[in-house]
Amino acid sequence: MCPIVDLVYATYLGKQTYSNTVVYLGIPCAESPVGDLRFRATVRLNTTRVYEENDLNEETVVDAT
């Protein structure tokens, strides 16, 4: 069974690469620096947008491998 991490707004599935190492790829931590956000301070991630864009429900697990 691969490790799963629950971030409240999404649940991500990781990949165990070695016996003591798990990777989670592509998990956003802030809004992408595009358009008006370029060369500005970091903007907190809009977790509602992430939830809706991934069409998630409470049982969905996003593959982050």
Side-chain angles (χ1 to χ4, degrees):
M1 177 79 179
C2 289
I4 295 177
V5 63
D6 184 1
L7 299 179
V8 180
Y9 64 89
T11 303
Y12 292 96
L13 174 67
K15 179 180 181 183
Q16 188 155 5
T17 54
Y18 297 99
S19 62
N20 62 349
T21 306
V22 177
V23 295
Y24 298 91
L25 306 174
I27 298 178
C29 59
E31 291 297 320
S32 298
V34 296
D36 292 341
L37 299 178
R38 190 170 173 105
F39 304 117
R40 303 282 186 256
T42 304
V43 176
R44 173 176 271 158
L45 180 65
N46 181 345
T47 56
T48 303
R49 179 188 56 75
V50 172
Y51 181 86
E52 291 172 354
E53 284 182 359
N54 289 314
D55 192 30
L56 301 174
N57 59 46
E58 293 178 7
E59 299 172 3
T60 303
V61 177
V62 178
D63 187 357
T65 58

